[in-house]
Structures are given as C-alpha cells and as structure tokens.
Amino acid sequence: MATERYNPRTAEPRWQQAWAEKHIFETANDDPRPKYYVLEMFPYPSGRIHMGHVRNYTMGDVIARYMRAKGHAVLHPMGWDAFGLPAENAAIQNKINPAKWTYANIAAMRSQLQMMGLSLDWSREIATCDPEYYSRQQKLFLDLLANDLAYRKKSKVNWDPADQTVLANEQVIEGRGWRSGAIVEQRELTQWFFRISAYSDELLAALDTLDRWPEKVRLMQRNWIGRSEGMRIRFPFVGEPEIVGDAGFETIEVFTTRHDTLFGASFIAISPDHPVATALALNDGELSYFIDDCRKSGVSAAVIETAEKMGYDTGLKVAHPFLKDVELPVYVANFVLMEYGTGAIFGCPAHDQRDYEFAIKYDLPIKPVVAPVDTFDKDTDVVAWLKQFAAGKEAYVEDGELINSDFLDGLSVPEAKEAVAQRLESTMLFGAPQGVRQVNYRLRDWGISRQRYWGCPIPVIHCDEHGVVPVPEKDLPVLLPADVSLDKPGNPLDRHPTWKHVACPICGKPSIRETDTMDTFVDSSWYFARFTAPHAAPAIDRKAADHWLPVDQYIGGIEHAILHLLYSRFFTRAMKLSGYVGLDEPFAGMFTQGMVVHETYRAGGEGPEGRWLSPAEIRIEGDGENRRAVDIVTGEEVLIGGIEKMSKSKRNTIDPSDIMTSYGADTARWFMLSDSPPDRDVIWTEESVAGAFRFVQRVWRLVSEWAEAKPAATATGTVAGADLRKAAHRALAAVEDAIASLRFNVAVARIYELVNAISSAIASPDRNDGLAAAIGESLDLLVLMMAPMMPHLAEECWRALGHTDFVATGAWPTVDRALIAENTVTLPVQINGKKRGELTIAADASQADIEKATLALDAVRRALDGQMPKKIVVVPKRIVNVVV
C-alpha cells in the first residue's frame, strides 16, 4: 500500500496538544539539571504575528529544543510588551478601551505562536499591562527613587503636537513623529529621568566582557555612550559688553575634544538655550525670534546634524587663548546642543565638516592647522596641499601633523593636545586655570515620562506642602482607571475627574497624582528577570533570578541594539543595588537576526497614481527574463519592484497563518532556517517555500516507506554500511556544531546531504544486513537531528520508526567519534617558508616518522641536494617547514 502524504494540518495540532497535555516544556525552578535560559525579545501585541516573528522565534526554539536534548533544564518563556501609544491610538480610532483591544490581540497572537509548535513555557506568560506586572514595576521605580537613580527636572523634549506626547529621539524621523507624521517641536517640560549616566564608565568598560555579543552591537553601544577625553576652555569676552555687567558673564566656556586645532578657530557657537543666548534675547527681538524658530525642530542629534546650519551673530567677541590680536565672533547656532558639554563650541572649519558648512554660509575664515604627515618632506609639499585643500569642499578630518600653529608646528595630534592642555592649565584667567581636562559622555539620562494613558503609572503624589511624595508600598499598585475618555488629544489621566485627586500620604491634604506614565522601554528593561518567577510576591525572587540569570542566549532585531539593551543593562545594575539580583549583565549571549524581505508590486506606475499590491493580489507568470507579475483582478501587468523589508506600507507582507495553514509550521520553520545565514536578510519567495514543503514530504516518504516495507536484506552483495554510518555521524557532528554556533543554514545543508545519502543507500541493489542496519540507525539519527527544526514531522517520523517516547523529551544522540576520525592527515610542506608540496601520513604518526617521510619527498630531496637540513619544524596536524 502506497504511503500517504504527510498532512501537517492534522499532525501538527495533534502533537501540540500532546506536548501541552504532558507539560513537556514547563520548567521548574528546582530542576537539578544544568540551567539554560534562552529568550527572544517579546512582541508587541499588534494583533498578528509577522514573518520576522516566525524567524526570530524559530531560531530561539531550535536552541531551546537542542539544549533540552543535551540535558539542560531550559527556561524558554513568552510574554507581551503590551503598553504603548499604538494601543491608545487604536482605541481612539475603534472607540474601544485599550485594555480590551490589547488582550484581544494577545489572544490572537498567542494562538498563532502556538501554531508554530514553539517549545515555550506558557505557564510563565506575562503581559506588561497586567497589574500583577506593573505593580511590581512601580515598586522598582520607588527603589530607584530611594537610591537617587530617579529624579525630576526641566528638560527640552521632542513634542508631537498631533499625538500630544513626548517622543524619544529615535521616534523622530526626518523631523516628524514616527506614527503621526506631524512636525515635531521642542518644548520644555518637567520630566522624570533615570540616572543612567551614573553608570557611563561601567556600562562602557563591561562591553569588553561581552564576548558572545556581535561586535557591531558592542560598537553601537560604545558610540552611543560616547566617551570622549577633552578640555573645558574659557574664552574671555572682549571689552565690556552690556551682557557682562548685567548678567555677570565674564567668559564663554566650551568643551572640545580637538583642542589641538585651537589655532584654526574662527568663531564661537552657543546653543539657543545657552544662558548667554537667553540673556541677550531679552533685549533683542530678532534673536528671540531666531531662538523660537530653532525650537520648532526636534532635539534629536540626527535631526540637528542634517538640518541646514543656521546662526545668529550676537555682535559679541571673545579673545583667542594664544593669539593676542585675534577675536572670535560669537554666534547662536541651531546645531549646538545645550545637553552636550557646555552648550558651546569653538568652530574650526578646516577640520570639522559641520563647522566648515557654517563658515562657508557666513563667510568666516577657514584656516587649516592639521595636514597629512607625508606632505612634510618639503615646504613646497605643504603649499601644494594647502592649495588642494582650498580647492576642495570638505573639512580635513584625518590624522596628521600640526601646521600654522605657532608652538605646535610639527607635532602629532596627540602631542599637540598635550601641549595645549599643559599651557592652558598653567594660564590663569579670573583666578582659575583657563583650561582643565575633562572626560565627557554622549550618553544622557533616560527620560521616562510620557503624556499618555496606556502605560505604567508613575507612583508619586505631588503635595503643595511636601513636594514629591512616593506612594506608600502598601498602596501599590496605582491602577489605571478604566473609565477614561479618549475622545480628545492629550493625556486622559490629566483630565480625569477623580483619579488624579488623592490625599497626601504625609499630611492628608488634597494632592495630585503624577499623571505621566512610564516609557515602555522601562517595561522591557526587567521582564527577563520577572520570567524567572513570574508569580512571586516580590518584583523579583532573588533565588530564582540568581539561578537563571544571566540569559544564556538572547535573540532579537538589530533595531534594539542600542536603547533596549543599554537600558536593560542599566536596570540590572539598579536592581542589583536594591538587592534583587546578584549580577550586572543580563544577557551573556546576544544574537541579532536579519530581516525577512520580499519583492514589491506596484500597479499604475511609480507616480502618485500608483498603488502597492500584496503578493496575494498578483500572479507570477514565466521565469527568468520573461518573468512578469499580473494583477489577478484586472489582468494588467504590474511593476515588480525591489526586494525590501516586509512592511504594511508597501504591502509586501506574508501572513504567517496563511503559510502555516497551507504548508504547515515545519515548512515555514525549515525555510526560515535554510535560506540564508541567520544574521543576514532572508528573501521570501513562494518557490522557495514550496521547495521546503517538498523536502518535508521527501523526508516523510523516506521514513514511512522504509518503516512500512522494512525490505529484507539480499543474499548477495558486499556493501556493508560503514560508509553510510560514517556519513550519518559526520552529519550529526556537523549539525551539533552548527546549532551550537547558531549557523542554522549550515545544519540544514548537512541534513540535506544525509537525506541524499540515505536515499542512495535505500536504492542500492547491493543492500545486505549490514546496510539495512545502517539505514535504520541513520534514519533515527536524521529524525533526532532535525527535531529542533521540524519538531512535528520529527515526532511523526519517530513513531513511524517504532519508537513510543517523545522526540521532544529524548536525549541528543552521541557522535561516534572513532567512526568519523580520519586515519590520515595531509600536511603542507614548506621549504624555507615557501610551500613546495604536501605530505599525507597517518594521523597518529610520530614526529620522527613525519620527519623521515618529509625527507623522502622529491621536492625536499631536490632542495637538499644530498645535504642534511638545518632543521625540520613540525607543527602537529598543521604544517611541516624544512629549513635548508
């Protein structure tokens, strides 16, 4: 009887139910086996999972299943990053409470994830919008407040006038709000901050210990922390301008990392928020207007760097520290941030592109003071380089030697910095050194205040008499009110008739609750610790946290490589300070997967009249150069666009549920693992998915037909099965190594090779008892090694082969190292450092045997010409070098 096709629609739900009934993936905190904690970044409950989720969670699941098979107690939980502005906006649009919308989405997405057959411990499920979770977060906030890691201050913020909320710098895209598209403004608000800057040095230094993180991620964090060594230099005002007498300003103080270029300074630029600018604007309407105009843009560095450089000449001048007759004009400039350094810079246009553009715009001097080292052979070379520089349109920002710089001429940049530092430190100005060395950081304290409803309430009360009063722990949680009105812009908590009114815990007088809620980055900065004991009374159970943390393997997108990881690293240190955990770094291993991309389709041309079509709305005809896309409804030819990240805006998304319904979860999982290295983008095509499905059917046919027929061994034939056994164990060793190093596509390739070898063996006309036994063993190994990747198919095949236990609970097979050990080794042979031949010899040959065999090689004999070598250097199993 012919074997039936494998039907994932019936098989996959059956095995998922069987795993759930046996609680196979639930892990006890007192499990005595060695622990392994694998975690993927938890999703936002938008209502549907996308193909990026499928890829991310498949990778984590492969690791979880593999480590479980290797004898570890594996913690593999799932939760929901459930607060945030999207839910609030959706609630407004659909006239529904954000909680109802969020929990409905969670239910839908949970069902989709369960369709994938992920080996998750659902008993540990958390949602950050649950009071059980955010009540503990409020306690953590109070701990940070007690440890002076949380505080309030006035701050410039990005304000979205449409969404009526503060935006992080990363949420400002080309000067507009990332969701509303409204032009972002600057506002000054009193905000809550976490003092992450207190850990700047520690966060930076610890990156060197995270050797299982991608170097690109560590570099991104180093750059974001931005440690720089420089100087604070005071420039005295020239003469007695009115501002000096009225406001008490004697100098403008700048911070710079390029004090070596002081002789190239041509202007001073101060922030629109600098105290000098503020004082001047009181009596200068034009300057006041300029400052207001600067505030219409956001405060993100990206926006400021890319905006047109604008300045306002204050008429003030300051004296150059070294050049007695040189006075530098003072500008208010839109590209100087008050939050960095002192809010003032000296501009050296020749060696900073931003300063260069400013100098060109305002016709300021551009004086080169650093030139390439190799131009100093002759004076004429310097002249030639200066002419070349003058003809260009870019600042020179590379290394070199100092020119046009008096006592610095001929020094290297580091030498010049030291010489300037020493001279300024010894020069007194108004009773203090004119310059002092200083280490500065780009990292700023984390502003966590958000003017919205759907977030964790900040547990403080504002009392007229006692100021900011923490909510007593016995009164936690501060619950969000369910009866809110979302029909107006802004924060509904601020206009709630009763919720915000409360008695002061100290004096009992009428007071006001804090109506700002926490940035959702706070929610995701400690969830990995809560997973270790998600139902414990304290926020974190110390014993459970110390057992499971750090996360052994964390997986997520590169878009979270800076803020989420940096905030989580800070929060872990803050939790350690409060006694919740005993470690500093939350994630021992970090992996960032590539995106899932798909070609795009556009009907009606590329102009404004064009419209994007989804893959489901087109039909592909032909192939190669004749390949074309056709609109299924109209029959018109559609433009096939570039391959881009799947996005709703370009409608090039694929619904994972459709794929799993049509092909099964294992096909989707297999494709995601097989098509490209996991850290690179994977191109989704229907043809490739169909190919993965064909492989699923091939494996099932191979296993089920063998299990059903179990053909008798032939009486004749000499093929034993040693070659097949060797191929199977080599594949096992390769798959083991590939999964352990997260090279899933390599593991897939080795499994393909093994399937080919087994198919050839089954088709062999010389099959005997030895080969039949090898086929049976190889099929068992095949099923076990593909189980982390295609778990449903593996269970089905395992039963077909006669086993009664679960593959999901089985042990990883042991590689027969003796079987796959090579009997010989081939060593390159060098003569005086140049390769002249190769030597193939027994792998266990002694050094004396290797030397004897080397001397017998023709190439060596010719080189020696009857003489003895000076020496023979043997690097075991690597190389032989003969010195003549």
Side-chain angles (χ1 to χ4, degrees):
M1 184 178 90
T3 300
E4 294 182 358
R5 283 169 59 85
Y6 174 68
N7 186 354
R9 293 184 184 180
T10 58
E12 292 182 349
R14 184 174 68 251
W15 288 113
Q16 290 163 14
Q17 182 178 352
W19 296 330
E21 289 174 351
K22 296 292 185 181
H23 305 282
I24 286 175
F25 306 127
E26 293 182 13
T27 305
N29 283 350
D30 59 356
D31 192 312
R33 294 175 296 172
K35 73 95 179 179
Y36 193 89
Y37 187 176
V38 58
L39 182 65
E40 306 91 356
M41 293 180 184
F42 62 170
Y44 176 76
S46 60
R48 307 290 295 177
I49 66 170
H50 52 69
M51 297 310 301
H53 289 135
V54 174
R55 193 179 196 202
N56 190 23
Y57 299 135
T58 296
M59 291 179 185
D61 196 51
V62 170
I63 298 168
R65 288 177 178 271
Y66 171 74
M67 295 306 296
R68 202 176 283 116
K70 293 288 285 184
H72 289 74
V74 173
L75 177 57
H76 188 208
M78 177 56 68
W80 310 96
D81 194 6
F83 271 139
L85 192 58
E88 197 162 331
N89 288 342
I92 295 170
Q93 182 178 348
N94 299 311
K95 296 185 177 178
I96 187 175
N97 187 280
K100 187 174 181 180
W101 184 86
T102 299
Y103 283 109
N105 287 350
I106 287 174
M109 292 178 68
R110 183 193 301 115
S111 176
Q112 288 181 296
L113 291 178
Q114 288 171 341
M115 284 179 65
M116 289 179 60
L118 303 172
S119 61
L120 293 164
D121 184 349
W122 285 104
S123 71
R124 296 176 184 255
E125 182 182 10
I126 60 176
T128 59
C129 65
D130 282 341
E132 183 182 21
Y133 185 85
Y134 74 73
S135 64
R136 273 73 180 184
Q137 184 163 302
Q138 291 172 344
K139 175 60 170 66
L140 293 176
F141 175 92
L142 296 178
D143 292 331
L144 267 70
L145 187 61
N147 287 320
D148 195 32
L149 292 177
Y151 68 96
R152 289 177 92 221
K153 71 171 182 178
K154 282 189 175 181
S155 173
K156 296 291 182 183
V157 297
N158 300 305
W159 180 259
D160 188 317
D163 282 335
Q164 294 281 294
T165 189
V166 170
L167 299 179
N169 287 340
E170 292 65 36
Q171 295 170 323
V172 179
I173 310 299
E174 296 181 351
R176 295 179 179 269
W178 68 312
R179 291 198 176 274
S180 71
I183 296 176
V184 171
E185 304 170 355
Q186 287 186 34
R187 284 200 181 179
E188 188 172 67
L189 297 177
T190 300
Q191 300 275 287
W192 282 98
F193 288 84
F194 285 159
R195 207 181 300 277
I196 189 173
S197 62
Y199 291 93
S200 295
D201 263 332
E202 190 174 325
L203 290 167
L204 183 64
L207 289 171
D208 292 334
T209 69
L210 300 176
D211 53 4
R212 289 181 51 225
W213 282 37
E215 180 53 37
K216 63 182 178 181
V217 173
R218 293 195 288 177
L219 178 61
M220 291 167 74
Q221 292 221 347
R222 285 191 186 97
N223 291 340
W224 189 263
I225 296 170
R227 185 182 190 276
S228 55
E229 296 183 4
M231 289 201 77
R232 292 175 74 103
I233 304 173
R234 292 185 299 146
F235 290 78
F237 285 108
V238 174
E240 289 292 333
E242 184 177 324
I243 187 173
V244 174
D246 290 353
F249 298 106
E250 294 180 317
T251 65
I252 288 183
E253 188 172 30
V254 308
F255 172 80
T256 179
T257 60
R258 290 301 307 271
H259 37 290
D260 56 299
T261 64
L262 260 173
F263 283 94
S266 63
F267 66 93
I268 297 290
I270 62 176
S271 165
D273 299 310
H274 194 282
V276 168
T278 301
L280 289 172
L282 294 175
N283 300 307
D284 187 336
E286 191 174 347
L287 174 57
S288 180
Y289 178 82
F290 176 81
I291 292 173
D292 287 342
D293 197 48
C294 290
R295 288 172 179 165
K296 291 180 181 178
S297 63
V299 298
S300 71
V303 169
I304 290 171
E305 286 293 332
T306 55
E308 181 184 0
K309 306 300 179 288
M310 301 293 292
Y312 182 90
D313 190 349
T314 65
L316 300 176
K317 295 184 184 298
V318 296
H320 192 285
F322 300 137
L323 299 172
K324 295 187 181 300
D325 298 329
V326 174
E327 299 175 353
L328 306 179
V330 178
Y331 284 79
V332 178
N334 67 340
F335 60 87
V336 182
L337 289 169
M338 193 64 212
E339 289 75 21
Y340 183 80
T342 63
I345 65 160
F346 77 79
C348 179
H351 304 293
D352 183 286
Q353 188 61 30
R354 179 190 57 184
D355 297 349
Y356 184 93
E357 294 170 10
F358 190 81
I360 292 293
K361 185 177 182 70
Y362 293 102
D363 195 26
L364 296 167
I366 301 175
K367 177 184 175 183
V369 292
V370 180
V373 174
D374 58 7
T375 65
F376 286 83
D377 292 338
K378 298 178 181 177
D379 290 341
T380 54
D381 290 338
V382 178
V383 173
W385 181 82
L386 289 172
K387 289 181 179 179
Q388 179 184 350
F389 173 83
K393 296 182 179 180
E394 292 185 353
Y396 178 72
V397 297
E398 305 301 325
D399 205 356
E401 289 183 0
L402 274 291
I403 60 172
N404 295 330
S405 297
D406 194 71
F407 66 94
L408 302 178
D409 285 351
L411 298 180
S412 67
V413 168
E415 291 170 340
K417 286 183 178 181
E418 180 61 27
V420 169
Q422 290 184 13
R423 184 162 297 199
L424 289 177
E425 286 172 329
S426 62
T427 302
M428 300 303 289
L429 180 67
F430 302 120
Q434 186 167 7
V436 293
R437 301 175 204 245
Q438 179 176 308
V439 174
N440 206 21
Y441 294 90
R442 181 175 180 267
L443 180 64
R444 293 291 168 264
D445 282 343
W446 172 12
I448 67 159
S449 293
R450 297 295 180 267
Q451 293 69 42
R452 60 172 177 244
Y453 163 70
W454 194 236
C456 176
I458 296 175
V460 299
I461 294 167
H462 300 280
C463 172
D464 288 341
E465 183 173 344
H466 295 97
V468 175
V469 181
V471 172
E473 188 175 342
K474 65 181 178 61
D475 294 337
L476 296 179
V478 177
L479 295 173
L480 288 169
D483 58 332
V484 291
S485 172
L486 297 170
D487 56 351
K488 297 178 182 178
N491 184 357
L493 294 177
D494 204 33
R495 58 176 183 268
H496 194 282
T498 60
W499 179 85
K500 69 177 184 178
H501 299 289
V502 64
C504 171
I506 298 175
C507 64
K509 293 180 180 179
S511 300
I512 300 295
R513 288 192 188 280
E514 174 63 68
T515 57
D516 284 355
T517 54
M518 295 187 205
D519 178 13
T520 54
F521 273 117
V522 181
D523 309 342
S524 58
S525 290
W526 69 284
Y527 79 111
F528 49 86
R530 183 64 179 169
F531 271 139
T532 65
H535 309 297
I540 298 161
D541 181 293
R542 176 65 184 265
K543 182 178 179 182
D546 285 350
H547 172 67
W548 287 111
L549 293 176
V551 175
D552 295 280
Q553 186 62 63
Y554 197 35
I555 303 174
I558 192 68
E559 67 271 18
H560 297 299
I562 299 178
L563 292 187
H564 165 60
L565 293 179
L566 196 60
Y567 291 159
S568 296
R569 297 178 62 217
F570 157 73
F571 218 83
T572 302
R573 286 164 168 80
M575 291 188 294
K576 180 182 179 182
L577 185 64
S578 297
Y580 288 106
V581 298
L583 78 166
D584 295 322
E585 291 296 336
F587 311 120
M590 179 67 216
F591 184 80
T592 54
Q593 84 282 359
M595 296 183 296
V596 182
V597 297
H598 195 292
E599 63 186 7
T600 56
Y601 311 104
R602 192 174 178 89
E606 297 184 2
E609 70 281 0
R611 58 188 177 89
W612 299 104
L613 296 180
S614 72
E617 294 174 305
I618 61 98
R619 180 178 66 254
I620 298 295
E621 298 177 349
D623 51 32
E625 294 182 357
N626 298 320
R627 186 172 182 269
R628 60 196 291 264
V630 175
D631 187 327
I632 293 175
V633 175
T634 66
E636 69 173 307
E637 186 168 351
V638 173
L639 177 67
I640 300 178
I643 294 172
E644 299 186 34
K645 176 185 177 182
M646 287 188 179
S647 67
K648 293 179 181 178
S649 62
K650 295 192 175 176
R651 303 195 64 203
N652 63 334
T653 59
I654 301 292
D655 189 331
S657 293
D658 292 344
I659 298 302
M660 289 188 284
T661 300
S662 301
Y663 294 107
D666 283 348
T667 293
R669 292 168 62 115
W670 186 253
F671 169 77
M672 285 298 182
L673 297 167
S674 64
D675 201 60
S676 66
D679 58 337
R680 298 181 189 171
D681 294 348
V682 58
I683 302 174
W684 182 276
T685 66
E686 187 72 20
E687 296 84 355
S688 297
V689 177
F693 183 67
R694 287 194 296 271
F695 182 73
V696 167
Q697 294 298 336
R698 183 186 179 195
V699 171
W700 171 245
R701 191 165 54 249
L702 193 69
V703 170
S704 58
E705 288 180 356
W706 176 263
E708 183 178 309
K710 292 209 173 167
T714 59
T716 60
T718 59
V719 177
D723 288 345
L724 180 58
R725 290 192 68 238
K726 184 178 291 187
H729 280 268
R730 281 179 175 165
L732 176 60
V735 168
E736 186 175 290
D737 178 68
I739 293 177
S741 57
L742 280 67
R743 294 177 298 127
F744 305 113
N745 61 311
V746 174
V748 166
R750 299 292 83 79
I751 290 175
Y752 271 117
E753 292 172 0
L754 178 58
V755 168
N756 290 336
I758 295 173
S759 297
S760 298
I762 290 176
S764 171
D766 298 325
R767 188 169 59 235
N768 59 16
D769 290 337
L771 183 55
I775 291 171
E777 179 187 359
S778 298
L779 286 172
D780 278 357
L781 292 177
L782 169 67
V783 172
L784 290 169
M785 69 178 80
M786 75 181 187
M789 293 168 268
M790 295 191 288
H792 311 89
L793 177 62
E795 296 284 10
E796 200 80 357
C797 290
W798 196 241
R799 289 297 169 92
L801 290 171
H803 303 286
T804 58
D805 56 339
F806 286 99
V807 176
T809 59
W812 188 259
T814 302
V815 178
D816 187 339
R817 299 289 174 183
L819 179 66
I820 65 174
E822 294 289 348
N823 296 324
T824 62
V825 62
T826 298
L827 304 174
V829 176
Q830 294 182 339
I831 300 176
N832 291 341
K834 293 185 178 181
K835 184 179 177 182
R836 294 293 186 233
E838 292 182 338
L839 173 67
T840 299
I841 196 167
D844 58 354
S846 66
Q847 178 152 331
D849 290 338
I850 294 173
E851 292 180 0
K852 182 177 179 181
T854 300
L855 292 172
L857 292 174
D858 288 342
V860 177
R861 291 170 62 187
R862 287 195 299 270
L864 291 174
D865 193 24
Q867 304 297 313
M868 290 299 294
K870 292 181 180 178
K871 62 179 176 179
I872 300 176
V873 179
V874 177
V875 180
K877 297 184 180 180
R878 293 282 303 277
I879 197 169
V880 181
N881 190 27
V882 180
V883 181
V884 177

